[in-house]
Amino acid sequence: MPDAAISVQALTKRYGDTLALDGLSFTVPAGKTVALLGGNGAGKSTTIAILLGLLTPSSGAVSILGHDIVRNHYAALPFLNFSSPYVDLPHRLTVRQNLAVYAGLYGLRRAKDRIVELADALDLTRFLDRHAGDLSAGQKTRVALAKALLNRPRVLLLDEPTASLDPDTADRMRTYLEIYQRATGATILLASHNMPEVQRMADWVLMMKGGKLMDEGTSDDLIEKHGRDNLDEVFLAIARSDGEDAT
Amino acid sequence: MSLDRIHGEVERRAGSWPRIWAMVMRYWYLLRGSWPRLVEMLYWPTLNVLLWGLISRFFQGNSSYVAQGIGVLIGAVMLWEVLFRSQMGIALCFMEEMWSRNLGHMFVSPLHPLEWLAAMIISSLIRVVIGMAPAVGVSILLYHYSIFTMGLPLVAFVAALTVMGWWISLVITSMILRYGLGAESLVWMGMFALEPVSAVFYPVASMPAWLQPVAWAMPSAQVFEGMRTVLFQHRFDWHLFATAMGLNGLYSLGAIALFRAAFHSARKRGALLNVGE
Protein backbone atom coordinates (compact mmCIF):
# COMPACT_ATOMS: atom_id res chain seq x y z
CA MET A 1 0.00 0.00 0.00
CA PRO A 2 1.39 3.49 -0.85
CA ASP A 3 2.15 5.95 1.98
CA ALA A 4 -0.85 7.68 3.48
CA ALA A 5 -1.29 11.22 2.12
CA ILE A 6 -4.04 11.81 4.66
CA SER A 7 -4.22 10.12 8.02
CA VAL A 8 -7.11 10.66 10.44
CA GLN A 9 -6.97 8.98 13.85
CA ALA A 10 -9.75 8.92 16.49
CA LEU A 11 -11.04 12.30 15.37
CA THR A 12 -13.73 13.82 17.56
CA LYS A 13 -15.48 17.14 17.24
CA ARG A 14 -17.98 18.31 19.79
CA TYR A 15 -20.11 21.49 19.57
CA GLY A 16 -21.48 21.87 23.09
CA ASP A 17 -23.64 18.77 23.61
CA THR A 18 -23.61 17.81 19.93
CA LEU A 19 -21.11 15.21 18.80
CA ALA A 20 -20.35 15.99 15.16
CA LEU A 21 -17.49 13.46 14.80
CA ASP A 22 -17.22 10.43 16.99
CA GLY A 23 -13.78 8.80 16.91
CA LEU A 24 -13.39 8.87 13.13
CA SER A 25 -10.33 7.10 11.70
CA PHE A 26 -9.30 6.56 8.10
CA THR A 27 -6.35 6.94 5.76
CA VAL A 28 -6.13 8.06 2.17
CA PRO A 29 -3.20 6.49 0.29
CA ALA A 30 -1.08 8.84 -1.80
CA GLY A 31 -2.18 9.10 -5.40
CA LYS A 32 -5.63 7.63 -4.79
CA THR A 33 -9.14 9.06 -4.85
CA VAL A 34 -11.25 8.38 -1.80
CA ALA A 35 -14.90 9.39 -1.56
CA LEU A 36 -16.55 10.51 1.64
CA LEU A 37 -20.25 9.69 1.54
CA GLY A 38 -23.03 10.34 3.99
CA GLY A 39 -26.32 12.13 4.41
CA ASN A 40 -26.76 15.61 5.83
CA GLY A 41 -25.22 15.82 9.28
CA ALA A 42 -23.07 12.74 8.74
CA GLY A 43 -19.92 14.77 9.48
CA LYS A 44 -18.41 15.09 5.98
CA SER A 45 -18.16 18.88 6.01
CA THR A 46 -16.79 18.86 9.55
CA THR A 47 -14.14 16.33 8.51
CA ILE A 48 -13.14 18.40 5.48
CA ALA A 49 -13.03 21.62 7.52
CA ILE A 50 -10.68 19.96 10.02
CA LEU A 51 -8.48 18.60 7.23
CA LEU A 52 -8.25 22.11 5.79
CA GLY A 53 -7.26 23.60 9.14
CA LEU A 54 -10.42 25.73 9.25
CA LEU A 55 -11.77 23.93 12.28
CA THR A 56 -10.02 22.71 15.42
CA PRO A 57 -10.93 19.18 16.49
CA SER A 58 -11.89 18.40 20.09
CA SER A 59 -9.49 15.45 20.05
CA GLY A 60 -7.70 13.12 17.68
CA ALA A 61 -4.84 13.38 15.22
CA VAL A 62 -4.81 14.49 11.59
CA SER A 63 -1.84 14.59 9.28
CA ILE A 64 -1.55 15.55 5.63
CA LEU A 65 1.64 14.67 3.76
CA GLY A 66 3.20 14.00 7.15
CA HIS A 67 2.34 17.45 8.55
CA ASP A 68 0.37 17.60 11.78
CA ILE A 69 -2.69 19.61 10.84
CA VAL A 70 -3.86 20.23 14.39
CA ARG A 71 -0.56 21.71 15.60
CA ASN A 72 0.73 23.37 12.45
CA HIS A 73 -1.58 23.34 9.47
CA TYR A 74 0.43 26.12 7.76
CA ALA A 75 3.14 23.58 6.87
CA ALA A 76 0.70 21.61 4.70
CA LEU A 77 -1.30 24.48 3.18
CA PRO A 78 1.00 25.23 0.20
CA PHE A 79 0.50 21.65 -1.02
CA LEU A 80 -3.25 21.31 -0.72
CA ASN A 81 -6.31 23.07 -2.02
CA PHE A 82 -10.05 22.66 -2.05
CA SER A 83 -13.15 23.45 -3.97
CA SER A 84 -16.65 23.79 -2.65
CA PRO A 85 -19.78 25.29 -4.17
CA TYR A 86 -20.66 26.54 -0.68
CA VAL A 87 -17.67 28.84 -0.23
CA ASP A 88 -17.70 31.82 -2.56
CA LEU A 89 -14.96 33.75 -4.25
CA PRO A 90 -15.29 37.56 -4.09
CA HIS A 91 -18.17 38.51 -6.39
CA ARG A 92 -16.95 41.97 -7.31
CA LEU A 93 -13.63 40.80 -8.65
CA THR A 94 -13.34 39.38 -12.13
CA VAL A 95 -12.47 35.72 -12.55
CA ARG A 96 -8.97 36.72 -13.70
CA GLN A 97 -8.46 38.99 -10.67
CA ASN A 98 -9.69 36.30 -8.29
CA LEU A 99 -7.33 33.74 -9.76
CA ALA A 100 -4.45 36.24 -9.76
CA VAL A 101 -4.99 36.98 -6.06
CA TYR A 102 -4.96 33.28 -5.18
CA ALA A 103 -1.95 32.69 -7.41
CA GLY A 104 -0.21 35.34 -5.31
CA LEU A 105 -1.31 33.73 -2.06
CA TYR A 106 0.25 30.45 -3.23
CA GLY A 107 3.41 32.23 -4.37
CA LEU A 108 3.04 30.99 -7.95
CA ARG A 109 5.60 31.88 -10.59
CA ARG A 110 4.27 32.56 -14.09
CA ALA A 111 0.80 33.03 -12.64
CA LYS A 112 -0.60 34.57 -15.83
CA ASP A 113 0.36 31.50 -17.85
CA ARG A 114 -1.15 29.17 -15.27
CA ILE A 115 -4.42 31.14 -15.26
CA VAL A 116 -4.63 31.01 -19.04
CA GLU A 117 -3.82 27.29 -19.02
CA LEU A 118 -6.52 26.50 -16.46
CA ALA A 119 -9.08 28.78 -18.11
CA ASP A 120 -8.49 26.93 -21.34
CA ALA A 121 -8.75 23.50 -19.73
CA LEU A 122 -11.91 24.33 -17.77
CA ASP A 123 -13.56 26.32 -20.58
CA LEU A 124 -13.39 29.60 -18.69
CA THR A 125 -11.49 31.76 -21.17
CA ARG A 126 -14.50 33.82 -22.25
CA PHE A 127 -15.46 34.49 -18.62
CA LEU A 128 -12.04 35.60 -17.40
CA ASP A 129 -12.93 39.27 -17.40
CA ARG A 130 -16.45 38.87 -16.05
CA HIS A 131 -17.22 39.53 -12.38
CA ALA A 132 -17.41 36.30 -10.41
CA GLY A 133 -20.81 37.39 -9.07
CA ASP A 134 -22.25 37.57 -12.59
CA LEU A 135 -21.54 33.92 -13.39
CA SER A 136 -24.05 31.09 -13.37
CA ALA A 137 -23.84 28.43 -10.65
CA GLY A 138 -22.11 26.03 -13.05
CA GLN A 139 -19.58 28.64 -14.15
CA LYS A 140 -18.83 29.46 -10.49
CA THR A 141 -18.23 25.78 -9.81
CA ARG A 142 -15.68 25.69 -12.63
CA VAL A 143 -13.97 28.84 -11.35
CA ALA A 144 -13.77 27.29 -7.89
CA LEU A 145 -12.18 24.23 -9.47
CA ALA A 146 -9.68 26.42 -11.34
CA LYS A 147 -8.78 28.12 -8.05
CA ALA A 148 -8.37 24.69 -6.44
CA LEU A 149 -5.92 23.59 -9.13
CA LEU A 150 -3.88 26.82 -9.31
CA ASN A 151 -1.07 25.63 -7.04
CA ARG A 152 -1.01 22.13 -8.56
CA PRO A 153 -1.94 20.63 -5.19
CA ARG A 154 -0.62 17.28 -4.01
CA VAL A 155 -3.79 16.84 -2.00
CA LEU A 156 -7.10 18.05 -3.36
CA LEU A 157 -10.23 18.17 -1.24
CA LEU A 158 -13.32 18.42 -3.38
CA ASP A 159 -16.74 19.07 -1.93
CA GLU A 160 -19.31 18.28 -4.64
CA PRO A 161 -16.92 19.33 -7.43
CA THR A 162 -19.47 18.99 -10.22
CA ALA A 163 -22.53 20.44 -8.45
CA SER A 164 -24.66 22.60 -10.79
CA LEU A 165 -22.82 21.42 -13.90
CA ASP A 166 -24.65 20.01 -16.88
CA PRO A 167 -23.80 16.35 -17.64
CA ASP A 168 -21.48 17.25 -20.51
CA THR A 169 -19.47 19.82 -18.54
CA ALA A 170 -19.44 17.61 -15.44
CA ASP A 171 -18.01 14.77 -17.49
CA ARG A 172 -15.29 17.03 -18.90
CA MET A 173 -14.40 18.24 -15.40
CA ARG A 174 -14.10 14.66 -14.11
CA THR A 175 -11.95 13.77 -17.07
CA TYR A 176 -9.70 16.77 -16.39
CA LEU A 177 -9.37 15.77 -12.73
CA GLU A 178 -8.49 12.21 -13.72
CA ILE A 179 -5.86 13.44 -16.18
CA TYR A 180 -4.46 15.79 -13.54
CA GLN A 181 -4.24 12.99 -11.02
CA ARG A 182 -2.56 10.61 -13.45
CA ALA A 183 -0.06 13.29 -14.48
CA THR A 184 0.84 14.46 -10.99
CA GLY A 185 0.08 11.57 -8.65
CA ALA A 186 -2.13 13.88 -6.57
CA THR A 187 -4.40 12.52 -3.86
CA ILE A 188 -8.09 13.40 -3.97
CA LEU A 189 -10.63 13.31 -1.16
CA LEU A 190 -14.06 13.71 -2.66
CA ALA A 191 -17.34 14.47 -0.90
CA SER A 192 -20.23 14.00 -3.26
CA HIS A 193 -23.87 13.02 -3.43
CA ASN A 194 -23.48 12.05 -7.06
CA MET A 195 -23.13 8.26 -6.91
CA PRO A 196 -22.20 7.65 -10.56
CA GLU A 197 -19.43 10.22 -10.06
CA VAL A 198 -18.20 8.39 -6.97
CA GLN A 199 -18.33 5.03 -8.75
CA ARG A 200 -16.33 6.44 -11.63
CA MET A 201 -13.69 8.39 -9.72
CA ALA A 202 -13.20 6.82 -6.30
CA ASP A 203 -10.77 3.98 -5.61
CA TRP A 204 -12.21 3.66 -2.13
CA VAL A 205 -15.45 4.78 -0.49
CA LEU A 206 -15.98 5.81 3.14
CA MET A 207 -19.61 5.70 4.31
CA MET A 208 -20.35 8.03 7.24
CA LYS A 209 -23.34 8.47 9.48
CA GLY A 210 -23.72 10.41 12.73
CA GLY A 211 -20.05 11.33 12.78
CA LYS A 212 -18.91 7.71 12.53
CA LEU A 213 -17.47 5.59 9.79
CA MET A 214 -20.17 3.00 9.06
CA ASP A 215 -18.50 1.07 6.26
CA GLU A 216 -15.76 1.31 3.68
CA GLY A 217 -14.55 -0.44 0.56
CA THR A 218 -14.54 -0.15 -3.20
CA SER A 219 -17.88 0.75 -4.79
CA ASP A 220 -18.25 -2.78 -6.16
CA ASP A 221 -17.38 -4.39 -2.80
CA LEU A 222 -19.93 -2.23 -0.98
CA ILE A 223 -22.66 -2.98 -3.52
CA GLU A 224 -21.97 -6.69 -3.23
CA LYS A 225 -21.60 -6.68 0.55
CA HIS A 226 -24.92 -4.88 1.05
CA GLY A 227 -26.67 -6.97 -1.61
CA ARG A 228 -27.81 -3.92 -3.60
CA ASP A 229 -27.85 -3.04 -7.27
CA ASN A 230 -25.94 0.22 -7.10
CA LEU A 231 -24.17 2.66 -4.78
CA ASP A 232 -27.30 4.82 -4.47
CA GLU A 233 -29.08 1.92 -2.79
CA VAL A 234 -26.13 1.26 -0.49
CA PHE A 235 -26.14 4.94 0.48
CA LEU A 236 -29.88 4.82 1.26
CA ALA A 237 -29.56 1.60 3.22
CA ILE A 238 -26.83 3.06 5.42
CA ALA A 239 -28.48 6.47 5.76
CA ARG A 240 -31.77 4.87 6.83
CA SER A 241 -30.30 2.18 9.05
CA ASP A 242 -30.66 2.62 12.79
CA GLY A 243 -27.12 1.72 13.63
CA GLU A 244 -24.68 -1.11 13.40
CA ASP A 245 -25.66 -3.29 10.48
CA ALA A 246 -27.10 -1.86 7.30
CA THR A 247 -26.83 -4.96 5.14
CA MET B 1 7.21 19.70 -14.59
CA SER B 2 7.01 17.52 -11.46
CA LEU B 3 5.04 18.58 -8.39
CA ASP B 4 8.23 18.32 -6.32
CA ARG B 5 9.97 20.91 -8.50
CA ILE B 6 6.91 23.19 -8.59
CA HIS B 7 6.44 23.04 -4.84
CA GLY B 8 10.18 23.56 -4.35
CA GLU B 9 9.84 26.83 -6.27
CA VAL B 10 6.80 27.78 -4.23
CA GLU B 11 8.67 27.09 -1.00
CA ARG B 12 11.56 29.26 -2.12
CA ARG B 13 9.10 32.12 -2.57
CA ALA B 14 7.51 31.36 0.77
CA GLY B 15 8.22 34.77 2.36
CA SER B 16 5.26 36.78 3.55
CA TRP B 17 5.49 39.61 1.05
CA PRO B 18 3.92 37.86 -2.02
CA ARG B 19 0.90 36.93 0.10
CA ILE B 20 0.58 40.41 1.60
CA TRP B 21 0.90 41.93 -1.85
CA ALA B 22 -1.73 39.56 -3.26
CA MET B 23 -4.20 40.70 -0.60
CA VAL B 24 -3.35 44.38 -1.19
CA MET B 25 -4.10 43.79 -4.87
CA ARG B 26 -7.37 42.08 -3.92
CA TYR B 27 -8.51 45.28 -2.15
CA TRP B 28 -7.12 47.50 -4.87
CA TYR B 29 -9.05 45.60 -7.57
CA LEU B 30 -12.18 46.05 -5.50
CA LEU B 31 -11.65 49.77 -5.09
CA ARG B 32 -10.69 50.31 -8.71
CA GLY B 33 -13.70 48.44 -9.97
CA SER B 34 -16.29 50.28 -7.93
CA TRP B 35 -16.79 54.01 -8.55
CA PRO B 36 -19.49 54.31 -5.83
CA ARG B 37 -16.91 53.13 -3.26
CA LEU B 38 -14.40 55.62 -4.57
CA VAL B 39 -16.93 58.48 -4.51
CA GLU B 40 -17.98 57.59 -0.97
CA MET B 41 -14.33 57.65 0.12
CA LEU B 42 -13.81 61.15 -1.28
CA TYR B 43 -17.23 62.52 -0.41
CA TRP B 44 -17.33 62.51 3.40
CA PRO B 45 -13.94 64.08 4.19
CA THR B 46 -14.53 66.77 1.56
CA LEU B 47 -18.04 67.50 2.80
CA ASN B 48 -16.85 67.72 6.40
CA VAL B 49 -14.06 70.12 5.48
CA LEU B 50 -16.53 72.26 3.51
CA LEU B 51 -18.91 72.39 6.47
CA TRP B 52 -16.29 73.04 9.16
CA GLY B 53 -14.58 75.56 6.93
CA LEU B 54 -17.78 77.61 6.84
CA ILE B 55 -18.25 77.24 10.59
CA SER B 56 -14.63 78.32 11.13
CA ARG B 57 -15.14 81.41 8.98
CA PHE B 58 -18.12 82.41 11.04
CA PHE B 59 -16.39 81.77 14.36
CA GLN B 60 -13.21 83.55 13.39
CA GLY B 61 -15.02 86.86 13.83
CA ASN B 62 -17.25 85.73 16.66
CA SER B 63 -15.16 83.49 18.87
CA SER B 64 -11.92 84.31 20.60
CA TYR B 65 -11.18 80.57 20.84
CA VAL B 66 -11.21 80.03 17.08
CA ALA B 67 -9.54 83.38 16.45
CA GLN B 68 -6.48 82.17 18.45
CA GLY B 69 -5.44 79.84 15.71
CA ILE B 70 -6.62 79.53 12.17
CA GLY B 71 -7.46 75.95 11.40
CA VAL B 72 -8.27 74.81 14.93
CA LEU B 73 -11.56 73.47 13.60
CA ILE B 74 -10.62 72.59 10.00
CA GLY B 75 -7.35 71.01 11.15
CA ALA B 76 -9.23 69.06 13.78
CA VAL B 77 -11.83 67.78 11.36
CA MET B 78 -9.14 66.69 8.93
CA LEU B 79 -7.20 64.85 11.61
CA TRP B 80 -10.42 63.26 12.82
CA GLU B 81 -11.04 62.07 9.26
CA VAL B 82 -7.55 60.52 9.24
CA LEU B 83 -8.46 58.55 12.35
CA PHE B 84 -11.90 57.60 11.08
CA ARG B 85 -10.69 56.63 7.58
CA SER B 86 -7.81 54.53 8.89
CA GLN B 87 -10.23 52.64 11.14
CA MET B 88 -12.75 52.23 8.32
CA GLY B 89 -9.99 51.21 5.90
CA ILE B 90 -9.22 48.06 7.85
CA ALA B 91 -12.79 47.39 8.92
CA LEU B 92 -14.10 47.59 5.35
CA CYS B 93 -11.41 45.23 4.04
CA PHE B 94 -12.45 42.80 6.74
CA MET B 95 -16.15 43.26 6.01
CA GLU B 96 -15.57 42.62 2.30
CA GLU B 97 -14.30 39.14 3.18
CA MET B 98 -17.29 38.56 5.44
CA TRP B 99 -19.82 39.80 2.87
CA SER B 100 -18.27 37.71 0.10
CA ARG B 101 -17.93 34.68 2.42
CA ASN B 102 -14.35 34.34 1.27
CA LEU B 103 -12.66 33.52 4.58
CA GLY B 104 -12.82 29.78 3.85
CA HIS B 105 -10.79 30.11 0.67
CA MET B 106 -8.38 32.64 2.17
CA PHE B 107 -7.42 30.54 5.14
CA VAL B 108 -7.01 27.35 3.17
CA SER B 109 -4.28 29.20 1.31
CA PRO B 110 -0.94 29.70 3.12
CA LEU B 111 -2.07 33.20 4.19
CA HIS B 112 -1.36 33.82 7.88
CA PRO B 113 -3.80 36.06 9.81
CA LEU B 114 -0.98 38.53 10.59
CA GLU B 115 -0.14 38.76 6.86
CA TRP B 116 -3.79 39.51 6.18
CA LEU B 117 -3.62 42.19 8.86
CA ALA B 118 -0.55 43.71 7.22
CA ALA B 119 -2.38 43.80 3.87
CA MET B 120 -5.38 45.49 5.47
CA ILE B 121 -3.11 48.10 7.08
CA ILE B 122 -1.47 48.91 3.73
CA SER B 123 -4.89 49.11 2.05
CA SER B 124 -6.11 51.35 4.84
CA LEU B 125 -3.18 53.75 4.25
CA ILE B 126 -4.02 53.86 0.54
CA ARG B 127 -7.64 54.66 1.41
CA VAL B 128 -6.61 57.44 3.79
CA VAL B 129 -4.39 59.08 1.17
CA ILE B 130 -7.04 58.85 -1.56
CA GLY B 131 -9.82 60.00 0.75
CA MET B 132 -7.96 62.94 2.29
CA ALA B 133 -6.34 64.42 -0.82
CA PRO B 134 -9.42 66.31 -2.10
CA ALA B 135 -10.34 67.46 1.42
CA VAL B 136 -6.87 69.00 1.86
CA GLY B 137 -7.19 70.60 -1.61
CA VAL B 138 -10.61 72.08 -0.82
CA SER B 139 -9.33 73.52 2.45
CA ILE B 140 -6.43 75.24 0.67
CA LEU B 141 -8.49 76.51 -2.25
CA LEU B 142 -11.61 77.70 -0.43
CA TYR B 143 -10.36 78.63 3.04
CA HIS B 144 -6.69 79.37 2.37
CA TYR B 145 -5.79 76.99 5.15
CA SER B 146 -3.20 74.30 4.58
CA ILE B 147 -2.91 71.61 7.21
CA PHE B 148 0.74 71.33 6.17
CA THR B 149 1.45 74.66 7.92
CA MET B 150 1.56 72.58 11.11
CA GLY B 151 4.89 71.34 9.83
CA LEU B 152 6.56 68.17 11.07
CA PRO B 153 4.21 67.76 14.05
CA LEU B 154 1.53 66.92 11.49
CA VAL B 155 3.44 63.73 10.64
CA ALA B 156 3.43 62.79 14.33
CA PHE B 157 -0.30 63.50 14.68
CA VAL B 158 -1.21 61.54 11.56
CA ALA B 159 0.97 58.61 12.67
CA ALA B 160 -0.58 58.48 16.14
CA LEU B 161 -4.15 58.71 14.83
CA THR B 162 -3.54 56.17 12.08
CA VAL B 163 -2.23 53.63 14.57
CA MET B 164 -5.21 54.33 16.81
CA GLY B 165 -7.56 53.68 13.88
CA TRP B 166 -5.84 50.33 13.32
CA TRP B 167 -6.22 49.03 16.86
CA ILE B 168 -9.82 50.21 17.11
CA SER B 169 -10.67 48.35 13.91
CA LEU B 170 -8.87 45.27 15.24
CA VAL B 171 -11.06 45.33 18.34
CA ILE B 172 -14.19 45.74 16.22
CA THR B 173 -13.24 43.04 13.71
CA SER B 174 -12.49 40.70 16.62
CA MET B 175 -16.04 41.28 17.87
CA ILE B 176 -17.45 40.54 14.41
CA LEU B 177 -15.32 37.43 14.10
CA ARG B 178 -16.71 36.32 17.45
CA TYR B 179 -20.35 37.35 17.06
CA GLY B 180 -20.81 37.30 13.26
CA LEU B 181 -22.34 39.88 10.96
CA GLY B 182 -24.93 40.69 13.63
CA ALA B 183 -22.24 42.90 15.16
CA GLU B 184 -21.60 44.66 11.83
CA SER B 185 -22.96 48.01 13.00
CA LEU B 186 -19.98 48.32 15.38
CA VAL B 187 -17.88 49.22 12.34
CA TRP B 188 -19.79 52.48 11.96
CA MET B 189 -20.71 53.07 15.60
CA GLY B 190 -17.35 52.38 17.25
CA MET B 191 -15.53 55.56 16.27
CA PHE B 192 -18.44 57.86 17.00
CA ALA B 193 -18.62 56.48 20.53
CA LEU B 194 -15.04 57.67 21.05
CA GLU B 195 -15.47 61.09 19.44
CA PRO B 196 -16.86 62.89 22.53
CA VAL B 197 -13.90 61.78 24.68
CA SER B 198 -11.34 62.49 21.96
CA ALA B 199 -11.51 66.25 22.55
CA VAL B 200 -11.51 66.89 18.82
CA PHE B 201 -13.09 70.37 18.84
CA TYR B 202 -12.70 71.41 22.49
CA PRO B 203 -9.99 71.05 25.14
CA VAL B 204 -10.05 68.23 27.66
CA ALA B 205 -10.17 70.86 30.42
CA SER B 206 -13.63 71.92 29.23
CA MET B 207 -15.04 68.44 29.82
CA PRO B 208 -16.72 67.38 33.09
CA ALA B 209 -14.11 66.42 35.69
CA TRP B 210 -15.26 62.80 35.88
CA LEU B 211 -14.86 62.38 32.12
CA GLN B 212 -11.39 63.90 31.86
CA PRO B 213 -9.46 60.76 32.96
CA VAL B 214 -11.31 58.80 30.25
CA ALA B 215 -10.28 61.41 27.68
CA TRP B 216 -6.63 61.36 28.80
CA ALA B 217 -6.66 57.58 28.33
CA MET B 218 -7.41 58.14 24.63
CA PRO B 219 -4.42 58.64 22.30
CA SER B 220 -6.72 60.82 20.19
CA ALA B 221 -7.26 63.32 23.02
CA GLN B 222 -3.48 63.61 23.45
CA VAL B 223 -3.12 64.28 19.73
CA PHE B 224 -5.85 66.92 19.54
CA GLU B 225 -4.45 68.66 22.62
CA GLY B 226 -1.06 68.52 20.91
CA MET B 227 -2.55 70.01 17.75
CA ARG B 228 -3.99 72.93 19.71
CA THR B 229 -0.60 73.48 21.40
CA VAL B 230 1.01 73.72 17.96
CA LEU B 231 -1.67 76.08 16.64
CA PHE B 232 -2.03 78.31 19.71
CA GLN B 233 1.43 78.22 21.28
CA HIS B 234 3.49 77.33 18.21
CA ARG B 235 5.36 74.53 19.97
CA PHE B 236 5.26 70.73 19.80
CA ASP B 237 4.50 68.99 23.10
CA TRP B 238 6.65 65.83 23.07
CA HIS B 239 5.06 64.60 26.26
CA LEU B 240 1.60 64.49 24.69
CA PHE B 241 2.94 62.70 21.62
CA ALA B 242 4.91 60.16 23.67
CA THR B 243 1.86 59.45 25.81
CA ALA B 244 -0.30 58.99 22.70
CA MET B 245 2.17 56.53 21.18
CA GLY B 246 2.64 54.73 24.50
CA LEU B 247 -1.12 54.28 24.84
CA ASN B 248 -1.30 53.19 21.21
CA GLY B 249 1.39 50.58 21.82
CA LEU B 250 -0.41 49.25 24.86
CA TYR B 251 -3.83 49.14 23.19
CA SER B 252 -2.36 47.65 20.01
CA LEU B 253 -0.89 44.74 21.97
CA GLY B 254 -4.27 44.18 23.60
CA ALA B 255 -6.07 44.42 20.25
CA ILE B 256 -3.69 41.92 18.58
CA ALA B 257 -4.18 39.50 21.48
CA LEU B 258 -7.96 39.92 21.18
CA PHE B 259 -7.84 39.37 17.39
CA ARG B 260 -5.75 36.21 17.80
CA ALA B 261 -8.15 34.92 20.45
CA ALA B 262 -11.15 35.70 18.21
CA PHE B 263 -9.48 33.95 15.28
CA HIS B 264 -8.65 30.94 17.42
CA SER B 265 -12.24 30.85 18.66
CA ALA B 266 -13.53 31.12 15.06
CA ARG B 267 -11.44 28.08 14.11
CA LYS B 268 -12.80 26.20 17.07
CA ARG B 269 -16.40 27.01 16.16
CA GLY B 270 -16.03 26.55 12.41
CA ALA B 271 -16.95 30.19 11.83
CA LEU B 272 -14.31 30.64 9.11
CA LEU B 273 -16.46 28.51 6.82
CA ASN B 274 -19.90 29.61 7.94
CA VAL B 275 -19.40 33.17 8.95
CA GLY B 276 -22.51 35.31 8.69
CA GLU B 277 -25.42 36.46 10.78
Side-chain angles (χ1 to χ4, degrees):
Chain A
M1 191 191 217
D3 293 340
I6 302 174
S7 168
V8 172
Q9 299 300 323
L11 194 62
T12 301
K13 179 64 188 178
R14 192 180 284 282
Y15 296 102
D17 293 334
T18 309
L19 195 56
L21 289 180
D22 185 6
L24 183 70
S25 297
F26 66 87
T27 56
V28 180
K32 299 289 180 189
T33 298
V34 170
L36 208 51
L37 298 188
N40 297 330
K44 305 186 300 295
S45 301
T46 303
T47 306
I48 287 180
I50 291 173
L51 289 172
L52 292 168
L54 293 173
L55 184 63
T56 314
S58 303
S59 64
V62 181
S63 76
I64 295 184
L65 301 170
H67 300 289
D68 184 335
I69 289 296
V70 182
R71 284 165 194 258
N72 181 19
H73 66 288
Y74 291 104
L77 290 179
F79 314 112
L80 66 109
N81 212 321
F82 98 120
S83 161
S84 166
Y86 309 112
V87 183
D88 284 343
L89 287 165
H91 284 193
R92 293 189 185 90
L93 264 57
T94 66
V95 172
R96 192 191 302 275
Q97 288 169 341
N98 265 306
L99 294 177
V101 168
Y102 278 94
L105 291 181
Y106 285 99
L108 247 62
R109 284 181 191 277
R110 293 178 290 277
K112 283 182 185 170
D113 295 345
R114 180 67 178 147
I115 290 168
V116 169
E117 178 191 334
L118 280 169
D120 186 42
L122 300 175
D123 195 18
L124 286 168
T125 305
R126 66 207 142 110
F127 307 118
L128 275 178
D129 294 311
R130 292 245 308 256
H131 285 116
D134 295 338
L135 302 179
S136 70
Q139 289 158 356
K140 281 181 190 168
T141 303
R142 273 146 57 201
V143 173
L145 209 50
K147 175 250 141 192
L149 292 165
L150 265 176
N151 62 325
R152 297 181 177 89
R154 286 179 182 167
V155 174
L156 194 49
L157 286 92
L158 302 174
D159 188 7
E160 303 201 37
T162 57
S164 317
L165 297 181
D166 65 71
D168 174 47
T169 312
D171 179 68
R172 283 196 278 134
M173 294 305 111
R174 286 179 205 119
T175 304
Y176 185 79
L177 285 169
E178 287 163 346
I179 291 169
Y180 173 77
Q181 189 180 36
R182 271 200 299 275
T184 62
T187 306
I188 298 178
L189 183 66
L190 172 76
S192 175
H193 289 134
N194 183 328
M195 298 305 148
E197 176 171 88
V198 170
Q199 276 187 272
R200 169 176 162 178
M201 293 185 69
D203 300 298
W204 197 257
V205 178
L206 305 168
M207 297 291 237
M208 289 182 71
K209 185 182 176 185
K212 288 181 179 172
L213 190 60
M214 302 300 287
D215 209 345
E216 61 181 311
T218 65
S219 297
D220 290 343
D221 286 349
L222 287 169
I223 291 166
E224 192 182 324
K225 181 178 171 186
H226 288 262
R228 309 288 168 169
D229 293 329
N230 53 50
L231 204 55
D232 250 328
E233 291 182 8
V234 177
F235 178 91
L236 289 175
I238 290 179
R240 291 173 183 173
S241 68
D242 53 2
E244 303 306 311
D245 186 9
T247 51
Chain B
M1 191 181 271
S2 75
L3 285 186
D4 282 342
R5 190 169 153 207
I6 290 160
H7 289 135
E9 280 185 13
V10 169
E11 277 182 294
R12 279 195 294 280
R13 295 193 72 197
S16 289
W17 180 242
R19 292 190 288 275
I20 293 171
W21 182 246
M23 289 308 292
V24 171
M25 289 310 293
R26 182 256 190 274
Y27 299 121
W28 176 245
Y29 289 145
L30 192 70
L31 205 57
R32 204 180 63 177
S34 169
W35 66 263
R37 275 184 173 78
L38 210 55
V39 168
E40 191 271 340
M41 248 169 66
L42 306 175
Y43 176 78
W44 290 111
T46 307
L47 187 77
N48 273 335
V49 165
L50 271 174
L51 178 69
W52 285 94
L54 290 171
I55 293 170
S56 290
R57 264 194 181 173
F58 169 72
F59 277 125
Q60 250 179 307
N62 294 280
S63 156
S64 57
Y65 174 70
V66 176
Q68 284 180 81
I70 295 173
V72 70
L73 295 182
I74 306 183
V77 81
M78 279 196 268
L79 286 178
W80 175 257
E81 284 291 339
V82 167
L83 172 59
F84 185 64
R85 296 290 137 192
S86 79
Q87 180 259 325
M88 288 299 282
I90 290 189
L92 286 177
C93 289
F94 177 84
M95 294 308 295
E96 290 291 350
E97 305 304 353
M98 301 284 276
W99 290 325
S100 61
R101 293 177 175 269
N102 186 39
L103 291 179
H105 281 303
M106 271 171 58
F107 289 110
V108 167
S109 80
L111 179 72
H112 191 278
L114 292 180
E115 292 167 348
W116 180 34
L117 186 59
M120 290 196 289
I121 284 174
I122 294 170
S123 304
S124 151
L125 285 173
I126 294 171
R127 280 171 176 266
V128 169
V129 170
I130 294 175
M132 291 307 295
V136 170
V138 162
S139 151
I140 293 170
L141 284 175
L142 296 186
Y143 305 118
H144 310 294
Y145 172 72
S146 168
I147 195 166
F148 299 115
T149 55
M150 280 189 215
L152 280 180
L154 177 67
V155 177
F157 299 150
V158 168
L161 292 173
T162 304
V163 175
M164 183 176 175
W166 294 343
W167 67 253
I168 291 171
S169 63
L170 261 191
V171 171
I172 291 171
T173 51
S174 303
M175 302 295 278
I176 296 169
L177 210 45
R178 179 66 188 84
Y179 297 105
L181 282 174
E184 182 180 359
S185 54
L186 286 174
V187 170
W188 286 271
M189 284 163 50
M191 280 308 305
F192 291 110
L194 295 181
E195 193 174 11
V197 288
S198 290
V200 184
F201 301 111
Y202 41 81
V204 174
S206 71
M207 295 165 73
W210 61 268
L211 200 55
Q212 289 185 20
V214 180
W216 286 123
M218 292 291 124
S220 47
Q222 313 277 346
V223 167
F224 288 108
E225 284 294 331
M227 179 200 76
R228 282 184 284 271
T229 308
V230 167
L231 291 175
F232 296 161
Q233 299 168 29
H234 308 291
R235 67 179 178 87
F236 180 66
D237 188 328
W238 281 99
H239 176 71
L240 287 172
F241 176 63
T243 310
M245 290 312 268
L247 288 170
N248 269 335
L250 193 69
Y251 296 147
S252 296
L253 287 176
I256 289 172
L258 190 67
F259 184 77
R260 288 178 72 117
F263 194 82
H264 179 71
S265 160
R267 276 189 68 209
K268 213 168 172 180
R269 291 176 290 113
L272 295 178
L273 265 180
N274 306 310
V275 80
E277 289 175 306

